Amino acid sequence: MTPRSARLILLLDLIGTFVFAIEGAAIAMAARLDVFGVMVISFATALGGGIVRDVLIAAAPPQALRDWRYPVVAFAAGLLAFGFYSALRQVPEYVLIALDAGGLALFAVAGAEKSLSLGMNGLASVLMGGVTGVGGGVIRDVLLNTVPAILRTDIYATAALAGAAILVASQKAGLSPRWAAALGGASCFSLRLTAVWLHWNLPQAA
């Protein structure tokens, strides 16, 4: 892994961690959890996907547990959301959807980029991008005893996989990691928002 790739992955990971920790805290507070429960859900939502990814690609111990910045960002975001929950509840839904899409895009491209930088093949890197993007949300929903959102929400995991695939394809075509990440992230973000706007869903059994 080159120093430039490492810095890019760190930046994407930390921004995505903050965004998903805020989202996890908001959902936990809506479920009437106490402050400890909010911190647990914030951590799981923000870092669960990255931890699962690192375990699967044998990057152990997971970066989120080796680097103190990850849990600090997750817990700080959770406390911030807890302290300003009344203000957070006033944020328009479309803003929250956009932030969630941004977090999804950041994690999808970070997961794919890290997998590529460690020598994983293209398909595995795409799958790890998807795992990074949606893994934390799945863990959160399991902890809250609800059906995981990715199994019932319009295009979500598909957007993460699409963004990761575009990043991988762009790098294989010779694009620099930064531009490939930007293209993959923008694709994931725009696909997710378009799916929400147009109410796109994957086919279901008749």
Side-chain angles (χ1 to χ4, degrees):
M1 183 185 302
T2 66
R4 179 172 295 182
S5 293
R7 288 194 299 270
L8 176 62
I9 293 168
L10 177 63
L11 178 63
L12 295 174
D13 261 353
L14 290 178
I15 297 174
T17 295
F18 184 84
V19 171
F20 270 13
I22 291 283
E23 180 193 10
I27 293 173
M29 287 183 287
R32 308 301 300 170
L33 271 62
D34 62 18
V35 64
F36 179 77
V38 171
M39 293 300 99
V40 170
I41 298 299
S42 292
F43 183 92
T45 306
L47 301 176
I51 290 173
V52 172
R53 173 203 65 207
D54 287 352
V55 169
L56 290 175
I57 64 177
Q63 184 71 15
L65 301 180
R66 285 188 288 116
D67 190 331
W68 61 269
R69 289 170 289 190
Y70 286 87
V72 166
V73 168
F75 289 136
L79 285 173
L80 183 66
F82 188 86
F84 294 93
Y85 183 50
S86 58
L88 187 61
R89 292 176 62 184
Q90 304 304 316
V91 176
E93 184 181 9
Y94 67 86
V95 174
L96 297 177
I97 291 173
L99 286 174
D100 178 70
L104 180 70
L106 289 166
F107 272 180
V109 298
E113 171 64 28
K114 182 168 186 176
S115 300
L116 280 177
S117 69
L118 292 178
M120 304 295 290
N121 62 59
L123 177 58
S125 297
V126 171
L127 294 176
M128 290 305 99
V131 166
T132 309
V134 306
V138 171
I139 296 171
R140 175 202 67 213
D141 291 342
V142 169
L143 290 174
L144 293 174
N145 197 30
T146 62
V147 177
I150 66 167
L151 302 181
R152 52 184 169 80
T153 302
D154 43 12
I155 310 298
Y156 194 82
T158 307
L161 291 170
I166 289 172
L167 178 144
V168 170
S170 298
Q171 285 206 29
K172 296 294 185 182
L175 209 61
S176 71
R178 287 183 180 273
W179 282 107
L183 184 59
S187 300
C188 175
F189 181 78
S190 58
L191 177 57
R192 172 62 185 145
L193 290 187
T194 302
V196 172
W197 180 36
L198 298 179
H199 304 289
W200 285 350
N201 287 285
L202 294 175
Q204 297 178 337

